[in-house]
Amino acid sequence: MVAMLDKPGLLLTLMLAAIIFATGGLQFLALIFAFLIFALLATRFGYYEKKEMGIYEHDRSWENVLSNGLVPAIVSVIGFFLGFGPLPYICSIAAVTADKFASELGVLGGDPISLDGFKKVKPGTSGAVSPTGTIMSLVGAAGIGIISIFLFGITPTVALMITFVGFAGSFADTLFGVLEEKGFGTKGTT
């Protein structure tokens, strides 16, 4: 996994991990580590197909780390000072996992449709959805919900709620992707 990050990406990962551990403890750190493992597996899955489509992204930099880790770190810090428990943090991890699954696995099946005009577009287009990507988004968020049952002792009902919140976060990211396709922002800012 470390080989996928350049030096600035690795340094930022360690900094965000330290912040998350200091403000949330070992359970918070374990959950973001679960995201990292899921992200690695999702990125590597279908390597040859993604490579043929020209959309395989192997090396990650600080921008990727920041775009996936900033909100969970901020939520962890705010939760530490305000004492509102782990649910917002868990939901933030569910959202980035849902988005990672949708973007990395969704490109492997189905015809994506842009939310801007509902036209067919090529796989990997920001602001587009596909049946496979939608299902994978739910699977990614559900994975975080299930892991949270064991890490945080939440109920299956709460894990289901986390699944839907994570999915909604991923869908919000897709909506912002429409703006990215129009030249407003980048994958990192989305």
Side-chain angles (χ1 to χ4, degrees):
M1 171 150 2
V2 173
M4 290 183 69
L5 293 171
D6 61 13
K7 286 181 184 177
L10 180 59
L11 181 61
L12 184 57
T13 298
L14 294 174
M15 289 171 46
L16 290 175
I19 291 168
I20 289 169
F21 178 71
T23 57
L26 191 55
Q27 292 165 309
F28 279 41
L29 189 62
L31 191 63
I32 199 147
F33 185 69
F35 160 74
L36 291 172
I37 291 171
F38 283 165
L40 174 66
L41 294 173
T43 298
R44 299 241 175 153
F45 187 83
Y47 164 79
Y48 293 109
E49 293 89 348
K50 292 177 197 174
K51 190 106 170 151
E52 282 182 21
M53 290 187 273
I55 56 175
Y56 181 75
E57 295 179 23
H58 179 267
D59 295 325
R60 306 297 175 149
S61 66
W62 68 269
E63 292 99 342
N64 300 100
V65 174
L66 190 64
S67 66
N68 288 306
L70 182 63
V71 171
I74 290 170
V75 170
S76 182
V77 169
I78 293 171
F80 177 77
F81 287 108
L82 298 180
F84 52 63
L87 285 182
Y89 176 77
I90 297 168
C91 288
S92 72
I93 299 293
V96 295
T97 306
D99 181 61
K100 180 61 70 179
F101 272 46
S103 61
E104 291 289 348
L105 301 173
V107 298
L108 298 174
D111 293 320
I113 297 172
S114 173
L115 294 178
D116 180 29
F118 301 101
K119 299 173 190 154
K120 286 186 179 182
V121 293
K122 67 180 181 127
T125 302
S126 291
V129 296
S130 71
T132 303
T134 301
I135 292 167
M136 290 297 102
S137 179
L138 282 165
V139 168
I144 295 301
I146 291 167
I147 288 170
S148 296
I149 291 172
F150 299 102
L151 281 176
F152 297 94
I154 63 172
T155 66
T157 302
V158 173
L160 184 61
M161 181 220 46
I162 288 166
T163 299
F164 290 121
V165 170
F167 176 76
S170 175
F171 190 74
D173 181 82
T174 302
L175 290 173
F176 281 106
V178 171
L179 296 175
E180 179 189 330
E181 285 296 313
K182 293 181 180 251
F184 299 104
T186 64
K187 282 188 180 217
T189 57
T190 300

